[in-house]
Amino acid sequence: MEANPEYLPDLERWHLADDAGTAWFMESMLTTWQLTGTPDGYPAGTYAYAWHFNTMQTLLHAVEAWDPATQDEPNGYVKRKGERREAPDRLTLPEYNRRRCHHGKYVEEGACPHIACEAWTPPF
Ligand SMILES: [Zn+2]
């Protein structure tokens, strides 16, 4: 998805794009950067989907590489908030759209570093 960041001072966030029936925004949080999605029909200023990234650069790179029409979520986030998203044409990429934990790791791979996570595997 091509992002053209435009800062909205009233909302204190950047509008990145409109794609797949959703308005996409970026905002600085305390220690992370948040990507949010507001589907058509949602009240302004609210969101259904949100993912946190460690830096603004990782967020913007993830957005550029992401196709929200076929991919449920972007890659590279460290925490999901909000609803679990399903892309409109998600069945075209079943490998990419496998179930992920809240930290962005595929659950069946057991590679999440968070010890209380469903996708964590003991190292022994
Ligand atoms: Zn996890």
Side-chain angles (χ1 to χ4, degrees), residues 10-45:
D10 292 350
L11 297 175
E12 297 181 340
R13 70 187 66 155
W14 283 262
H15 175 256
L16 298 180
D18 294 302
D19 198 328
T22 304
W24 300 101
F25 299 93
M26 172 180 74
E27 62 187 301
S28 173
M29 306 303 281
L30 187 61
T31 60
T32 59
W33 285 78
Q34 180 173 247
L35 170 66
T36 61
T38 305
D40 293 346
Y42 270 60

Side-chain angles (χ1 to χ4, degrees), residues 47-124:
Y47 64 82
Y49 318 111
W51 301 274
H52 285 231
F53 295 80
N54 284 328
T55 67
M56 179 176 62
Q57 286 76 16
T58 55
L59 185 156
L60 290 172
H61 285 298
V63 166
E64 293 286 340
W66 182 39
D67 177 10
T70 59
Q71 299 172 332
D72 292 346
E73 304 180 298
N75 279 321
Y77 66 87
V78 295
K79 183 180 180 182
R80 177 197 310 118
K81 292 173 59 183
E83 301 173 21
R84 191 180 297 270
R85 181 174 184 273
E86 293 195 348
D89 299 321
R90 67 188 310 270
L91 296 179
T92 60
L93 294 176
E95 182 74 10
Y96 184 95
N97 291 319
R98 289 174 290 153
R99 181 175 159 77
R100 299 183 195 217
C101 72
H102 286 286
H103 313 102
K105 306 294 186 199
Y106 290 113
V107 171
E108 82 276 9
E109 292 179 0
C112 187
H114 297 273
I115 194 167
C117 181
E118 62 182 322
W120 177 78
T121 301
F124 46 82

